[in-house]
Amino acid sequence: MALKKTDKIWMDGKFVDWDDANIHICSHVIHYGTAVFEGMRVYKTHKGPAAFRLKEHVERLLNSAKIYRMDPPFTEKQISDAILETVRVNKMEECYVRPIVFRGYEELGVNPFANPVNVSIIVWPWGKYLGEEALENGVDVCVSTWNRIAPNTLPALAKCGANYMNSQLIKMEAVLSGYVEGIALDNAGYVSEGSGENLFIVRKGMLVTPPLGASVLPGITRDCVINHARDMGIEVIEQIIPREALYIADEVFFTGSAAEITPIRSVDKIKIGPGKRGPVTKKLQERFFGVLSGEVEDRHGWLTMV
Ligand SMILES: Cc1ncc(COP(=O)(O)O)c(C=O)c1O
C-alpha cells in the first residue's frame, strides 16, 4: 500500500511541503546507510492525540546516534518538541512518526566525518503493520535461514538504517515463502527477533524473551510488555531461547511500535498451542490498548498529549 502523504515534513528546523522534502543523491546516507531512526505512534485518546513513549523513543534515537558518532545539531527537547509540532501542523489525530538522523552531502568516502548530520521528522497515517486481522487471529511465521547481525558487527542496540538490510533479507524470504514474518536466530543459533519486532513466548504462565545480548533491538514495546506483565503479577524472564522452544510454547507473540502486540499462531507450520491467540497474549493486549485509548490508567506516564 502506498504511503499516504501528509502536508509537511520537518527538515532541520523548517517545515517543508511533502513533495519538496528532497536530499541530494550524493548524500552519505544513500550510499552507506548512514542513518539512525525511530518509529513511534501517536494514538487517539478520549482527551485527544497522544504520543506514546516519546521520551524513550527520542532517547533511543540519540543513543543510536551516539554509537555512530553522529552529533545532531538539536537537543533532546528540541527533537521532542519538533515531533509534537509536526503532528500538530499535519493535524493528525493518530499516526506513525519517523524521526531520522542521517549524514548528508559533502564528501563520498567511507569516512563520514566531513558530512553534516541532518534531522528530519515525517508523520503519516499507518494502520496495523501485520494486517488488521493479525491482532486477533495471529500470524503464521517461519524461522529465517538468515541470522540476525552478529555481536560486534553492526550494533544491534542502535536502530540504524543499515541494520534493516538484514531485516529485509529476513522479511523477503518469509513473504516469498508465504509467511507474514520471519524470526531470525542470533549468531549462536538462539532465537533473536523478527525483522521488525521483538518476541516473547509464554510457557506455563511465565513470559520469556531473549536478552539484549541475543542481537535484539531494545524494544520500547518489549519494555511495556515486561512492565505490564509484572504489574499483572506475571513472572518475566530474559533468557536465551532455543529454536525448538518456539514450537512447544503455549503462546508466542511479537511486540513493536508498528506490530504492537501480535499473536503468532504457527511457526514453520507447527501450530502454537491451540493455533490461535492465547489468554496471556489477550490480557496483555487489553492492558496495552487500554492505556493507549485512555481507558486504563497510564500509571507509568507513557502518554504525552500532543
Ligand atoms: C528489529 C526490530 N526489533 C524490535 C523492534 C520493536 O521495537 P519497538 O517496540 O521499540 O518499536 C523493532 C521496531 O522498531 C525493530 O525494527
Side-chain angles (χ1 to χ4, degrees), residues 202 232 234 250-251 253 274 276-286:
V202 181
M232 292 157 77
I234 300 170
D250 299 324
E251 302 176 33
F253 61 87
K276 55 181 196 182
R277 175 176 65 182
V280 176
T281 311
K282 183 163 186 274
K283 264 194 242 161
L284 287 163
Q285 281 181 328
E286 280 164 2

Side-chain angles (χ1 to χ4, degrees), residues 38-39 57 60 148 159 164 167 193-198 217-222 255-258:
E38 273 305 312
H57 280 283
R60 188 172 66 185
R148 199 78 188 122
K159 192 170 167 67
Y164 288 83
S167 290
E193 60 179 354
S195 73
E197 309 85 9
N198 293 112
L217 184 77
I220 291 164
T221 321
R222 174 185 185 274
T255 64
S257 300

Side-chain angles (χ1 to χ4, degrees), residues 133-140 180 262-266 276-277:
E133 304 275 277
L135 289 179
E136 202 173 322
N137 297 336
V139 289
D140 300 309
V180 167
T262 299
I264 294 173
R265 65 181 176 198
S266 73
K276 55 181 196 182
R277 175 176 65 182

Side-chain angles (χ1 to χ4, degrees), residues 37-41 52 56-57 60 96 98 129 148-149 156 158-159 163-164 166-167 170 192-199 215-224 254-260 288:
F37 66 96
E38 273 305 312
M40 54 176 282
R41 283 187 188 261
F52 188 59
E56 290 80 4
H57 280 283
R60 188 172 66 185
Y96 190 75
R98 167 62 49 81
Y129 182 59
R148 199 78 188 122
I149 42 185
K159 192 170 167 67
N163 290 359
Y164 288 83
N166 172 256
S167 290
I170 297 163
S192 177
E193 60 179 354
S195 73
E197 309 85 9
N198 293 112
L199 178 139
S215 296
V216 301
L217 184 77
I220 291 164
T221 321
R222 174 185 185 274
D223 179 71
C224 293
F254 281 136
T255 64
S257 300
E260 298 168 314
F288 181 75

Side-chain angles (χ1 to χ4, degrees), residues 67-140:
I67 291 169
Y68 279 97
R69 302 177 195 272
M70 293 161 101
D71 196 8
F74 299 96
T75 63
E76 184 177 335
K77 175 155 191 334
Q78 285 171 323
I79 295 174
S80 303
D81 289 348
I83 288 174
L84 297 174
E85 189 57 19
T86 309
V87 177
R88 282 194 290 265
V89 162
N90 286 292
K91 301 187 177 59
M92 304 304 287
E93 281 195 313
E94 55 188 344
C95 60
Y96 190 75
V97 183
R98 167 62 49 81
I100 183 161
V101 175
F102 61 95
R103 291 270 185 191
Y105 159 46
E106 184 68 44
E107 268 186 11
L108 259 188
V110 169
N111 177 354
F113 285 130
N115 297 291
V117 174
N118 298 116
V119 185
S120 280
I121 301 163
I122 312 154
V123 301
W124 72 89
W126 208 12
K128 302 300 175 197
Y129 182 59
L130 297 176
E132 286 291 335
E133 304 275 277
L135 289 179
E136 202 173 322
N137 297 336
V139 289
D140 300 309

